[in-house]
């Protein structure tokens, strides 16, 4: 569903949720899968963190990973965050209807995102008890993305398939209620799919979305070929940078999440497209950070 039809789809409410609590985090994740013959993965993350009800700390980061192995990144703190129905101002990042703009210094973009389907609720909440709450919404399960990216000394046009989700977590970061998370999405021709699997202390949650339908179990996974590991990271290392002496503290305070992300060619039905998928593990579950 593109063009005027895409405009008619429901616009999400970007207003920040209840920020009361020991630690409350909200995160928007957006990616765009650029196709062959010059495949690439664009990822944009917007994070807001409130501690003890104080004003939020917020930051925005984007990266473009190309097939030749090059990575272009931009990131900055967001000093002003506000949103409403169909619009969001997150520091130097803005969303207004289908238009997304970001100015992150070393990577900027001006894109149009035209959803092909309505927002999807696959499993909400993921965790809820008297002390912790983790929610997840897929605001854009599949979209057409067009526009331009630029950076110092270069740039490129974008024509891609896109995705956006939102996470809200009111939890103790040092006792995060998830153990492992596996998720991904793929798009090819007029087909698209999203898969999700989370391990918690109470058991395993599985859900999916396929071509506009929410599935109560994992959907048929696409056939994946030429998979490439494009991210291998511990959150504590990213947060502390060169201050190695802070890493043990950061690992304790964040439950030491480890993240792996891949891209691949994906076959859905008789069509070939692109996919990206991740594994994240917290605490003692750990993930071997190897290819």
């Amino acid at each position: 569903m593109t063009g005027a039809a895409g405009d008619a789809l429901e616009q999400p409410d970007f207003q920040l949720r209840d920020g009361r609590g020991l630690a409350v985090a909200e995160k928007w994740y957006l990616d765009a899968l650029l196709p062959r013959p010059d495949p690439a993965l664009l990822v944009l993350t917007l994070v807001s963190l409130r501690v003890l009800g104080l004003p939020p700390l917020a930051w925005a980061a984007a990266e473009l990973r190309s097939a030749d192995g090059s990575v272009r990144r931009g990131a900055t703190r967001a000093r002003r965050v506000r949103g409403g129905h169909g619009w969001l101002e997150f520091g130097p990042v803005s969303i207004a209807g289908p238009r997304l703009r970001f100015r992150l210094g070393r990577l900027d973009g001006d894109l149009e995102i035209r959803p092909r389907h309505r927002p999807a609720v696959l499993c909400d909440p993921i965790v809820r008890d008297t002390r912790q709450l983790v929610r997840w919404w897929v605001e854009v399960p599949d979209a057409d993305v067009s526009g331009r990216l630029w950076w110092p000394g270069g740039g490129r046009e974008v024509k891609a398939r896109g995705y956006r989700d939102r996470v809200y977590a009111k939890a103790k970061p040092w006792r995060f209620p998830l153990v492992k998370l596996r998720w991904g999405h793929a798009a090819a021709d007029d087909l698209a799919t999203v898969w999700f699997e989370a391990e918690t202390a109470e058991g395993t949650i599985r859900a999916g979305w396929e071509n506009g339908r929410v599935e109560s179990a994992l959907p048929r996974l696409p056939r994946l070929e030429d998979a490439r590991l494009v991210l291998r990271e511990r959150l504590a290392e990213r947060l502390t940078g060169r201050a190695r002496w802070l890493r043990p503290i950061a690992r304790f305070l964040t439950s030491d999440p480890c993240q792996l992300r891949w891209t691949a060619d994906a076959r859905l039905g008789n069509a070939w497209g692109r996919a990206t998928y991740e594994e994240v593990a917290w605490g003692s579950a750990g993930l071997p950070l190897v290819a």
Side-chain angles (χ1 to χ4, degrees):
M1 185 179 295
T2 59
D7 291 337
L9 294 180
E10 176 184 352
Q11 293 291 330
D13 186 354
F14 288 100
Q15 186 172 358
L16 291 178
R17 310 271 171 170
D18 178 17
R20 293 171 296 179
L22 180 63
V24 179
E26 290 198 65
K27 175 184 176 182
W28 278 276
Y29 167 94
L30 179 147
D31 70 40
L33 294 163
L34 284 71
R36 291 188 180 278
D38 188 15
L41 174 66
L42 171 69
V43 173
L44 174 68
T45 54
L46 311 175
V47 179
S48 171
L49 175 64
R50 300 185 186 190
V51 179
L52 299 175
L54 297 174
L57 297 173
W59 59 94
E63 65 179 31
L64 177 68
R65 294 180 176 268
S66 301
D68 62 4
S70 64
V71 182
R72 303 190 182 277
R73 296 185 177 93
T76 188
R77 182 176 174 184
R79 300 189 179 277
R80 185 181 186 187
V81 177
R82 64 192 189 107
H85 187 75
W87 66 274
L88 175 68
E89 293 180 2
F90 205 100
V93 180
S94 67
I95 297 175
R99 193 160 191 183
L100 166 66
R101 297 178 177 179
F102 56 93
R103 303 290 185 269
L104 299 176
R106 301 192 64 81
L107 181 60
D108 302 332
D110 192 340
L111 304 173
E112 278 201 356
I113 300 173
R114 301 284 181 178
R116 289 174 170 238
H117 299 275
R118 297 185 181 280
V121 178
L122 278 67
C123 49
D124 177 40
I126 300 172
V127 173
R128 183 196 295 271
D129 60 31
T130 57
R131 291 172 294 181
Q132 306 207 84
L133 173 65
V134 180
R135 305 186 66 183
W136 175 58
W137 307 270
V138 180
E139 293 182 337
V140 180
D142 182 32
D144 293 294
V145 181
S146 61
R148 182 167 178 79
L149 302 172
W150 60 93
W151 52 84
R156 69 173 290 175
E157 298 296 320
V158 172
K159 188 173 183 181
R161 295 288 281 274
Y163 167 95
R164 187 179 73 231
D165 67 25
R166 180 178 184 176
V167 173
Y168 172 88
K170 182 183 288 188
K172 297 177 180 178
W174 55 91
R175 258 185 216 177
F176 199 70
L178 296 186
V179 179
K180 284 188 178 181
L181 172 67
R182 302 176 186 89
W183 80 274
H185 75 99
D189 199 10
D190 289 330
L191 306 175
T193 187
V194 179
W195 61 93
F196 175 88
E197 182 177 82
E199 295 181 24
T200 74
E202 303 300 321
T204 300
I205 302 168
R206 297 181 178 90
W209 176 95
E210 189 172 16
N211 304 322
R213 302 185 309 274
V214 174
E215 306 287 347
S216 59
L218 286 178
R220 292 170 296 173
L221 298 183
R223 175 181 169 187
L224 301 173
E225 291 189 2
D226 193 24
R228 297 188 180 189
L229 181 67
V230 297
L231 179 67
R232 181 175 52 196
E233 181 178 67
R234 289 185 182 271
L235 178 62
E237 294 179 1
R238 175 153 53 95
L239 292 176
T240 56
R242 296 181 180 179
R244 293 177 178 268
W245 62 275
L246 284 174
R247 288 181 184 175
I249 300 172
R251 285 174 178 165
F252 169 75
L253 292 176
T254 62
S255 295
D256 196 20
C258 310
Q259 180 182 21
L260 304 176
R261 179 184 297 143
W262 293 264
T263 59
D265 291 329
R267 182 173 179 175
L268 295 173
N270 294 320
W272 281 95
R274 296 289 289 167
T276 185
Y277 52 100
E278 293 186 5
E279 292 189 21
V280 186
W282 286 264
S284 60
L287 281 176
L289 295 187
V290 297

